């Protein structure tokens, strides 16, 4: 049986970043993921922000890794060919009461080492953000804040890792560890046993149950915190800034922000839920988000008819104490190595996990190195992942050239987002293949426009069926039993 | 295929087909219809039920048969088709950018354009139904395509939201295919589709309709498992205690159509916010001269026969426009040259300068932050020019053709407007 040097559990953004970093070295690495695609959990449903780092308490792991992670994104986005915009972000104080809290945030940012912070008075904010609530008291502007496509931010490093030799096993769920009495020598999964020397637990919402299987941290618990969102039709209602309210103890608050695709997004609220799979929208939650966002931008109240999607995501909130003994904070990232058994835990990675993920990967490699894992750099590691053609973003001249080279780029499948057959074929046959409708959607942004897949779905089912060599009845939306079609007609 | 057409029609549904035929019959020499689908006919192709053509043909036809009559007529009068091809952009100067697997990326020039893109269906997010996002939530039209064209059933046990015609027709269609339609829910206190469809599609098949009811929640994470319905009061607020869980694997949404006008908006056609379609005059001409609109792109019609009628009107209008433009000796075309995006007006009367100078308004493609000439020529000789300190796309440029250019303008077929370097 093949033996791996390292197995990473979980292919979210954290697992993907770790896998890519490991792929720089001469190691035999596997990633296992229980879902049908990478990044279907927390990574696929969040606010898509690369935080500047002024929010976490100074001295926490969150603060350190957020600021470091933020710095790493320019180089990463360049190497991985993904859109990343350093838009800067605003923390908007609605009245003078809130304005007083900005100073605290500013000082916290300074202590964390965030550069480019600026406190703006009411008039300056009104001139920069003319649509803001007229009761605005002022704002803090952080020039290093940014936005990214969170799915691309995780898919691209995973793809790059696969190209550099990492083996990815989808629909493979962790069941238990295999011990040789003392140390982990492998894992049991629904697809059989995998042998290995090290395991990295990056299981997101399930990182607690994974570590409990190794009898570690029985007191550690991950509580899902749900956040709900609305997305607007960019042709009808769009702002191009990233706006936070003044944060509270438990949350950064309900934002009004923009995506790299140009859609305005509002959310999230923040409520603990008992179920780690509960990504359902609720009437109360949607109402709360609407009210919170309208407080920042009142005109949202008149733009709700331009909402094109609603969704909810879960944050993996942990209860780990900050390693620094001088700080009494119990929701920090848990990143640690257990050298004796051969396990690295990366848990409780809630916000700002996306921003921090490159720095988390660095930290994990350091821990492994300090624990004796031999890291010899690969001579042929290729850090570059070239972006694939995106018809929508091209000039007419570029389009003409692309279509003349490959006619399938001339056939539009998604008419709202201008996604072509060629792009869909590319994704189905990519290093991390898209094998479901949602996998294609997350990669190409197909079906995310005003008609929400009403026109493209039958065509995508046809293409997936043909390319994967399966019946249309076997094509799914997101794996498991999510079949689009249940039988042929004329069969009753 | 030619590079230029008198009339380009976007969309080969009933509105587009009727418009193209009528434009051709009214004297437009070359007419092209462009459609995204592999077959002309539009949504009619998936409407295999009857009820089409009662007013126009005094016959009760299924959708594809109704479409076929117009497709045949279009072919016989010499309308050309470009299928499986999509229009990405149109310009006020009537350039049409189209992409296709078969013909590549093309730029086609038209004298007149008819918008006939139809409508799209409202989706789940627009009515904000809470719950999970499982597979099994379809618009009625998407389900109709799966069943009637692809030959597959998207579910076995259905709840339908909305008593519009598509919803009720699908209720009958699915029942005939052996599926169970549990219920049609309608938030309004009255039916929203035609009474004849209520009788023929629901009553005749014992499918219950619940007025003043809506979907409260979708249950099921991967696949729809049940639909929670709820009664609403006169303000459409859910009445607590009236919730009911209806086991089902599929929810069909038939909650309204929205005219599809993204292309229209991009070219600057003014849209009536009340109906989401363009403002049009009695000829179905939009606010952009020479651009006409036909069918559901304007507003949602009850009967296809009326869509056809409106298409005929638009086609006549487009043909008349082409005729006026083309009457040789009467009009001179203004052609965007170097760094000019578009010019208004697009045409001037050949002897327009008799009455005084003519003012042109235009926008540039790229900014130039230095002195430039904005000039008008007949292709060879300079007719007039004006110095600008800079040009920027956001700032409209104007240029007046002086009266003394009367003789030059009378001689030429077209006037080319361009931005040139100051030194040049």
């Amino acid at each position: 049986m093949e033996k791996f040097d390292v197995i990473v559990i979980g292919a979210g953004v954290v697992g993907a970043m770790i896998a890519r970093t490991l792929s720089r070295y001469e190691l035999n690495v596997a990633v296992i993921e229980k879902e049908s695609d990478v990044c279907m959990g927390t990574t696929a449903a969040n606010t898509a922000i690369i935080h500047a780092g002024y929010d976490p308490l100074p001295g926490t792991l969150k603060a350190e890794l957020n600021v470091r992670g933020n710095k790493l994104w320019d180089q990463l986005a360049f190497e991985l060919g993904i859109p990343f915009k350093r838009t800067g972000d605003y923390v908007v104080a609605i009245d003078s009461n809130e304005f007083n809290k900005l100073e605290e945030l500013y000082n916290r940012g300074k202590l964390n080492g965030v550069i480019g912070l600026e406190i703006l008075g009411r008039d300056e904010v009104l001139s920069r953000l003319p649509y803001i609530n007229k009761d605005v008291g002022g704002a803090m502007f952080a020039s290093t804040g940014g936005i990214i496509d969170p799915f691309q931010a995780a898919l691209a490093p995973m793809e790059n890792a696969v190209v550099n030799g990492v083996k990815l096993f989808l629909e493979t769920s962790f069941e238990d560890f295999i011990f040789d009495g003392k140390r982990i020598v492998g894992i049991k999964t629904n697809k059989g046993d995998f042998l290995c020397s090290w395991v990295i637990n990056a299981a997101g919402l399930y990182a607690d149950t994974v570590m409990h299987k190794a009898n570690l941290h029985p007191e550690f618990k991950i509580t899902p915190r749900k956040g709900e969102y609305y997305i607007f039709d960019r042709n009808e209602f769009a702002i191009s800034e990233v706006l936070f309210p003044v944060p509270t103890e438990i949350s950064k608050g309900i934002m009004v922000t923009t995506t790299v695709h140009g859609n305005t997004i509002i959310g999230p609220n923040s409520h603990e839920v008992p179920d780690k799979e509960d990504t359902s929208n609720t009437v109360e939650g949607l109402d709360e988000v609407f009210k919170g966002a309208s407080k920042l931008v009142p005109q949202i109240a008149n733009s709700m008819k331009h909402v094109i999607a609603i969704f909810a995501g879960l944050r993996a909130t942990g209860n780990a104490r900050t390693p620094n003994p001088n700080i009494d904070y119990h929701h920090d990232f848990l990143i640690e190595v257990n050298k004796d058994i051969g396990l690295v835990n990366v848990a409780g990675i809630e916000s700002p996990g996306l921003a921090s993920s490159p720095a988390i990967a660095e930290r994990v490699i350091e821990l492994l190195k300090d624990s004796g894992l031999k890291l010899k750099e690969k001579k042929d590691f290729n850090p570059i992942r070239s972006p694939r053609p995106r018809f929508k973003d091209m000039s007419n001249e570029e389009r003409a050239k692309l279509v003349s080279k490959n006619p399938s780029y001339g056939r539009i499948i998604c008419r709202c987002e201008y996604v072509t057959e060629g792009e869909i074929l590319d994704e189905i046959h990519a290093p991390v293949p898209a094998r479901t409708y949602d996998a294609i959607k997350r990669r190409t942004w197909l079906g995310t426009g005003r008609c929400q897949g009403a026109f493209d779905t039958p065509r995508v089912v046809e293409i997936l069926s043909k390319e994967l060599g399966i019946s249309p009845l076997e094509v799914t939306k997101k794996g498991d039993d999510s079949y689009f079609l249940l039988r042929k007609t004329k069969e009753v | 295929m030619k590079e230029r057409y008198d009339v380009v029609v976007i969309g080969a549904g009933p509105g587009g087909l009727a418009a193209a035929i009528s434009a051709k019959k009214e004297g437009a020499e070359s007419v092209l219809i462009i459609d995204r689908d592999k077959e002309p006919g539009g949504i009619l192709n998936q409407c295999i039920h009857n009820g089409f053509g009662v007013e126009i043909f005094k016959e009760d036809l299924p959708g594809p048969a109704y479409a076929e009559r117009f497709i045949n007529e279009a072919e016989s009068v010499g309308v050309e088709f470009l299928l499986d091809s999509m229009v990405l952009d149109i310009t006020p100067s009537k350039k049409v950018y189209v992409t296709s697997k078969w013909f590549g990326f093309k730029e086609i020039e038209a004298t007149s354009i008819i918008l006939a893109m139809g409508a799209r269906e409202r989706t789940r997010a627009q009515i904000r139904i809470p719950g999970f996002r499982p597979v099994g939530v379809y618009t009625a039209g998407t389900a109709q395509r799966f069943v009637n064209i692809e030959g597959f059933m998207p579910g076995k046990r259905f709840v339908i939201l909305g008593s519009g015609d598509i919803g009720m027709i699908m209720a009958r269609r699915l029942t005939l295919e052996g599926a169970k339609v549990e219920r049609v829910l309608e938030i309004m206190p009255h039916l929203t589709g035609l009474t004849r469809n209520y009788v023929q599609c629901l009553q005749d098949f014992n499918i219950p309709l619940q007025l003043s009811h809506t979907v409260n929640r979708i249950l099921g994470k991967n696949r729809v498992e049940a639909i929670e319905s709820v009664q609403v009061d006169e303000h459409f607020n859910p009445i607590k205690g009236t919730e009911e869980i209806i086991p089902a694997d599929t929810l069909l949404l038939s909650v309204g159509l929205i005219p599809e006008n993204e292309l229209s908006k991009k070219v600057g056609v003014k849209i009536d916010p009340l109906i989401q379609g363009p403002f049009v005059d009695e000829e179905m001409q939009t606010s952009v001269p020479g651009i006409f609109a036909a069918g559901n792109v304007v507003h949602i019609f009850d009967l296809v026969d009326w869509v056809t009628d409106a298409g005929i009107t638009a086609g006549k209008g487009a043909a008349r426009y082409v005729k006026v433009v083309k009457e040789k000796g009467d009009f001179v075309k203004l052609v965007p040259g170097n760094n000019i995006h578009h010019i208004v007006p697009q045409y001037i009367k050949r002897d327009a300068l008799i009455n005084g100078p003519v003012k042109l308004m235009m926008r540039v493609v790229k900014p130039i932050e230095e002195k430039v000439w904005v000039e008008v020529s007949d292709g060879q000789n300079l007719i007039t020019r004006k110095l600008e300190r800079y040009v920027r796309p956001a700032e409209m440029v104007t240029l007046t053709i002086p009266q003394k250019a009367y003789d030059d303008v009378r001689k030429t077929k077209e006037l080319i407007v361009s931005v040139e370097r100051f030194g040049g």
Side-chain angles (χ1 to χ4, degrees):
Chain A
M1 193 190 288
E2 185 176 9
K3 189 181 169 188
F4 295 98
D5 295 308
V6 185
I7 292 178
V8 181
I9 303 172
V13 67
V14 172
M17 285 290 172
I18 292 170
R20 184 200 185 228
T21 312
L22 287 169
S23 75
R24 293 176 176 274
Y25 305 100
E26 287 184 1
L27 294 170
N28 193 11
V29 179
V31 177
I32 66 158
E33 167 57 51
K34 67 180 165 63
E35 302 290 348
S36 61
D37 190 14
V38 299
C39 321
M40 280 177 68
T42 301
T43 301
N46 56 70
T47 327
I49 304 287
I50 299 301
H51 296 279
Y54 50 78
D55 191 62
L57 277 181
T60 58
L61 260 181
K62 275 184 185 169
E64 180 191 342
L65 297 179
N66 182 356
V67 174
R68 170 73 186 152
N70 179 291
K71 286 195 185 114
L72 294 171
W73 274 106
D74 298 288
Q75 173 73 14
L76 254 180
F78 166 75
E79 288 180 356
L80 298 173
I82 50 177
F84 164 53
K85 290 186 193 163
R86 248 182 224 287
T87 49
D89 63 55
Y90 293 87
V91 180
V92 180
I94 289 307
D95 51 33
S96 52
N97 233 357
E98 284 195 348
F99 187 67
N100 298 334
K101 292 187 190 159
L102 292 180
E103 199 174 339
E104 187 191 325
L105 217 50
Y106 179 87
N107 290 333
R108 215 194 276 175
K110 287 268 171 188
L111 280 170
N112 289 347
V114 180
I115 54 163
L117 296 177
E118 205 184 339
I119 298 220
L120 310 173
R122 178 184 150 80
D123 292 346
E124 177 67 18
V125 178
L126 280 169
S127 84
R128 289 201 201 184
L129 312 171
Y131 49 78
I132 207 82
N133 185 339
K134 295 292 171 254
D135 296 333
V136 67
M140 184 177 80
F141 180 68
S143 63
T144 59
I147 55 173
I148 202 156
D149 176 331
F151 183 81
Q152 292 291 334
L155 171 74
M158 186 55 83
E159 221 180 77
N160 189 233
V162 167
V163 168
N164 283 300
V166 169
K167 296 186 180 74
L168 172 66
F169 298 88
L170 295 172
E171 290 171 333
T172 305
S173 56
F174 170 86
E175 287 171 353
D176 207 347
F177 291 107
I178 306 168
F179 277 89
D180 68 351
K182 198 172 148 233
R183 218 186 129 78
I184 292 168
V185 291
I187 58 170
K188 290 182 184 299
T189 77
N190 62 328
K191 297 272 174 78
D193 296 350
F194 288 68
L195 299 181
C196 64
S197 307
W198 284 92
V199 174
I200 297 172
N201 167 17
L205 287 157
Y206 295 91
D208 54 352
T209 48
V210 170
M211 69 178 82
H212 295 163
K213 290 273 187 189
N215 294 317
L216 289 179
H217 300 296
E219 79 295 345
F220 180 77
K221 185 174 187 302
I222 287 181
T223 309
R225 255 191 308 116
K226 194 200 280 191
E228 300 190 42
Y229 297 89
Y230 295 88
I231 299 180
F232 292 84
D233 183 350
R234 66 167 162 268
N235 300 312
E236 301 289 347
F237 172 67
I239 61 140
S240 48
E241 285 82 17
V242 175
L243 312 177
F244 288 93
V246 171
T248 65
E249 278 298 300
I250 53 156
S251 153
K252 297 185 184 72
I254 294 163
M255 301 182 63
V256 179
T257 175
T258 182
T259 69
V260 291
H261 306 281
N263 298 90
T264 293
I265 171 171
I266 65 175
N269 56 344
S270 178
H271 292 287
E272 284 190 2
V273 290
D275 178 359
K276 289 182 177 179
E277 301 291 324
D278 180 6
T279 51
S280 63
N281 281 108
T282 62
V283 174
E284 301 75 23
L286 288 169
D287 204 39
E288 187 183 356
V289 169
F290 165 70
K291 284 190 183 125
S294 319
K295 192 180 156 197
L296 289 181
V297 180
Q299 104 192 60
I300 282 172
N302 302 322
S303 304
M304 295 309 280
K305 60 178 178 286
H306 303 306
V307 166
I308 52 173
I310 53 177
F311 70 94
L314 298 173
R315 315 165 179 84
T317 305
N319 59 349
R321 192 194 156 104
T322 294
N324 181 340
N326 302 320
I327 293 163
D328 186 26
Y329 178 69
H330 288 268
H331 289 290
D332 209 351
F333 296 157
L334 172 65
I335 302 174
E336 55 156 32
V337 63
N338 191 309
K339 200 172 156 178
D340 298 332
I341 62 168
L343 177 64
V344 179
N345 285 313
V346 186
I349 310 299
E350 56 168 356
S351 181
L354 177 59
S356 308
S357 59
I360 292 173
E362 277 185 352
R363 176 61 51 93
V364 167
I365 303 303
E366 281 164 27
L367 292 175
L368 284 169
K369 202 168 150 188
D370 293 348
S371 307
L373 181 69
K374 282 219 175 67
L375 296 174
K376 190 176 167 215
E377 291 209 19
K378 261 185 214 161
K379 286 199 185 67
D380 57 350
F381 172 75
N382 177 10
I384 302 297
R385 171 201 174 260
S386 303
R388 292 186 274 273
R390 284 287 170 256
F391 186 88
K392 183 173 74 170
D393 301 329
M394 292 180 171
S395 69
N396 285 339
E397 291 74 25
E398 290 169 323
R399 287 167 175 173
K401 212 187 271 175
L402 182 71
V403 178
S404 71
K405 251 197 313 197
N406 180 346
S408 65
Y409 290 112
R411 184 167 180 233
I412 304 264
I413 302 295
C414 168
R415 74 181 197 186
C416 303
E417 295 293 318
Y418 288 179
V419 179
T420 64
E421 186 177 67
E423 291 162 87
I424 295 169
L425 296 177
D426 283 351
E427 297 303 336
I428 294 174
H429 301 293
V432 178
R435 298 172 307 166
T436 65
Y437 178 89
D438 281 359
I440 294 173
K441 174 177 176 172
R442 286 187 292 264
R443 285 163 176 78
T444 63
W445 223 229
L446 154 151
T448 63
R450 60 196 178 277
C451 80
Q452 289 287 299
F455 284 94
D456 68 59
T457 302
R459 291 166 178 85
V460 175
V461 169
E462 190 187 327
I463 294 170
L464 270 171
S465 147
K466 190 167 156 241
E467 294 300 311
L468 299 178
I470 57 177
S471 151
L473 295 168
E474 296 173 272
V475 175
T476 68
K477 179 169 157 63
K478 48 186 167 185
D480 282 340
D481 59 349
S482 62
Y483 302 107
F484 282 101
L485 305 168
L486 298 188
R487 62 170 169 87
K488 287 189 178 173
T489 53
K490 316 285 174 248
E491 279 191 346
V492 168
Chain B
M1 211 182 66
K2 293 188 275 291
E3 298 291 311
R4 66 161 294 124
Y5 286 82
D6 281 352
V7 178
V8 169
V9 183
I10 303 169
L17 285 167
I21 294 165
S22 119
K24 191 80 187 153
K25 282 182 172 170
E26 294 289 324
E29 278 170 33
S30 53
V31 178
L32 175 71
I33 304 190
I34 304 172
D35 196 87
R36 289 180 308 111
D37 234 314
K38 290 178 185 170
E39 311 272 343
I43 296 298
L44 284 173
N45 288 333
Q46 64 187 54
C47 298
I48 62 173
H49 52 281
N50 61 351
F52 300 92
V54 177
E55 299 215 349
I56 288 185
F57 298 119
K58 312 289 175 229
E59 277 181 75
D60 193 5
L61 302 169
Y66 183 89
E68 197 184 2
R69 296 200 177 186
F70 289 91
I71 296 165
N72 290 342
E73 187 177 1
E75 280 171 353
S76 75
V77 298
V79 170
E80 290 180 49
F81 286 89
L82 184 54
L83 300 171
D84 202 3
S85 302
M86 196 173 117
V87 174
L88 297 174
D89 230 335
I90 53 181
T91 70
S93 57
K94 319 288 185 311
K95 284 200 171 69
V96 177
Y97 295 95
V98 56
T99 181
S100 154
K101 191 168 175 171
W102 316 110
F103 304 93
F105 187 89
K106 265 199 177 323
E107 180 184 319
I108 296 168
E109 271 193 75
T111 304
S112 175
I113 294 173
I114 301 175
L115 307 170
M117 293 87 71
R120 66 175 189 272
E121 296 172 278
R122 289 219 296 161
T123 63
R124 174 183 175 182
Q126 283 156 334
I127 48 175
R128 240 165 298 152
I129 304 176
F132 284 104
R133 305 213 297 164
V135 74
V137 181
Y138 296 99
T139 63
T142 304
Q144 193 178 44
R145 183 177 176 104
F146 271 131
V147 177
N148 292 346
I149 295 197
E150 319 277 338
F152 288 100
M153 292 292 283
K156 293 175 176 164
R157 209 168 166 186
F158 290 79
V159 169
I160 298 178
L161 177 60
S163 64
D165 293 316
I166 317 172
M168 292 195 288
I169 285 161
M170 279 310 289
R172 173 178 63 184
R173 180 78 191 102
L174 292 164
T175 307
L176 290 171
E177 280 294 344
K180 174 88 176 116
V181 179
E182 297 289 339
R183 198 99 35 113
V184 175
L185 305 171
E186 170 58 57
I187 194 167
M188 304 299 281
H190 53 80
L191 198 69
T192 61
L194 302 174
T195 307
R196 84 166 187 226
N197 281 327
Y198 173 62
V199 175
Q200 295 171 5
C201 300
L202 300 190
Q203 277 192 331
D204 287 358
F205 292 85
N206 294 317
I207 298 166
L209 166 71
Q210 279 183 304
L211 299 174
S212 295
H213 275 70
T214 192
V215 173
N216 204 35
R217 198 155 57 103
I218 295 171
L219 289 89
K221 189 167 158 64
N222 271 330
R223 176 84 206 183
V224 172
E225 287 165 15
I227 298 301
E228 186 180 279
S229 70
V230 71
Q231 197 181 335
V232 298
D233 64 21
E234 66 269 33
H235 306 293
F236 307 115
N237 293 317
I239 301 171
K240 284 250 180 308
T242 62
E243 297 87 356
E244 184 188 351
I245 302 278
I246 310 167
D249 55 37
T250 310
L251 172 66
L252 288 201
L253 300 173
S254 174
V255 290
L257 298 172
I258 303 171
E260 175 63 23
N261 277 293
E262 293 309 313
L263 274 179
S264 330
K265 287 177 202 165
K266 279 205 281 183
V267 75
V269 164
K270 286 205 180 74
I271 303 289
D272 181 345
L274 273 180
I275 52 174
Q276 294 296 310
F279 288 103
V280 289
D281 66 12
E282 74 289 350
E283 285 185 313
M284 307 300 278
Q285 183 163 216
T286 70
S287 62
V288 177
I291 297 187
F292 294 76
N296 280 348
V297 88
V298 180
H299 69 143
I300 307 304
F301 288 82
D302 285 0
L303 293 179
V304 74
D305 305 66
W306 301 350
V307 167
T308 299
D309 275 341
I312 291 169
T313 307
K316 277 186 188 160
R320 184 207 51 83
Y321 181 86
V322 169
K323 203 149 86 201
V324 170
V325 165
K326 280 180 45 176
E327 274 173 7
K328 304 264 186 287
D330 259 349
F331 277 80
V332 174
K333 188 177 185 190
L334 286 147
V335 180
N338 197 17
N339 200 27
I340 297 290
H341 181 260
H342 67 265
I343 309 159
V344 174
Q346 292 91 340
Y347 299 91
I348 58 172
K349 288 199 196 73
R350 187 158 296 278
D351 55 4
L353 292 171
I354 272 189
N355 305 317
V358 170
K359 187 176 165 189
L360 307 180
M361 294 169 284
M362 60 208 104
R363 284 192 194 277
V364 298
V365 179
K366 289 178 295 201
I368 300 178
E369 299 292 340
E370 57 182 84
K371 277 192 209 165
V372 289
W373 289 114
V374 180
E375 54 186 51
V376 178
S377 77
D378 62 8
Q380 259 140 29
N381 310 308
L382 182 69
I383 290 174
T384 185
R385 68 179 179 176
K386 173 192 183 189
L387 197 59
E388 290 282 359
R389 280 164 48 225
Y390 59 83
V391 285
R392 293 171 188 159
E395 296 176 28
M396 186 177 283
V397 178
T398 61
L399 177 64
T400 302
I401 307 178
Q403 252 185 310
K404 66 175 194 249
Y406 178 80
D407 287 336
D408 293 331
V409 171
R410 272 202 68 83
K411 278 187 299 199
T412 185
K413 268 198 205 150
E414 56 186 31
L415 292 168
I416 300 161
V417 185
S418 50
V419 175
E420 302 296 342
R421 295 189 152 283
F422 175 58

